[in-house]
Amino acid sequence: MDTDTFKILEGCKRASDGTLIVAETALAQLEYDADGLAAVIAGKHHYYLRRDGRHLAVITYDNGPDYFEEGLARAWVDGQIGYYDRQLQPAFAARFDWGWPFKDGIAEVCQGCAPGKPDADGHTAIEGGKHYRIDRQGKILP
């Protein structure tokens, strides 16, 4: 996603709890994709936003909002990572300290892990904790 094309919209702001407040006039100005989603930045956070104002704070990946992999994007909810569909509905409860994108129906997640120190390119490795794999319903795999 090319973030250079983002423009400032009047009537939008991010509340201290992360909630977006978006005026009807701003909603009408956004460019929506075929799934009815627009990507916006508020502060340092990326969001997906629907025409009805429903929004989701997603992780930043490649300097933009997280990609939908196998129909799911990763989002921060109350300090935990969860996976959400294009309707911005949860696939299952957010409960991981970190999670990687789904590939072939499986995602690696971890508990007790934390971001390490960024490298010279600004990439941050996730370190420590217990790592395991989950399916698209959030069930732990052997």
Side-chain angles (χ1 to χ4, degrees):
M1 176 162 294
D2 181 8
T3 56
D4 292 339
T5 60
F6 285 114
K7 57 186 174 186
I8 296 175
L9 295 175
E10 296 298 324
C12 299
K13 66 179 181 178
R14 182 177 182 267
S16 61
D17 66 356
T19 303
L20 283 182
I21 301 166
V22 183
E24 293 279 331
T25 54
L27 284 172
Q29 295 177 49
L30 293 171
E31 292 182 31
Y32 297 92
D33 66 14
D35 294 310
L37 293 173
V40 299
I41 299 173
K44 295 180 180 179
H45 303 278
H46 287 90
Y47 293 81
Y48 282 117
L49 185 66
R50 297 197 62 79
R51 284 183 174 94
D52 62 4
R54 187 173 354 137
H55 61 276
L56 179 66
V58 295
I59 69 166
T60 299
Y61 187 76
D62 282 346
N63 297 317
D66 194 38
Y67 305 127
F68 283 90
E69 296 288 346
E70 298 187 11
L72 299 175
R74 299 167 291 168
W76 288 110
V77 178
D78 297 327
Q80 299 285 285
I81 288 281
Y83 294 84
Y84 289 76
D85 65 19
R86 293 178 187 275
Q87 298 300 312
L88 308 183
Q89 297 298 319
F92 45 83
R95 62 182 188 273
F96 308 107
D97 291 330
W98 185 253
W100 286 265
F102 273 90
K103 182 177 180 184
D104 299 324
I106 297 171
E108 182 181 344
V109 296
C110 63
Q111 296 287 20
C113 55
K117 184 178 177 181
D119 65 17
D121 294 325
H123 299 110
T124 305
I126 302 299
E127 300 174 342
K130 180 180 178 183
H131 292 239
Y132 49 96
R133 300 174 323 139
I134 60 169
D135 65 15
R136 290 180 50 87
Q137 289 73 45
K139 296 178 186 169
I140 297 173
L141 298 172

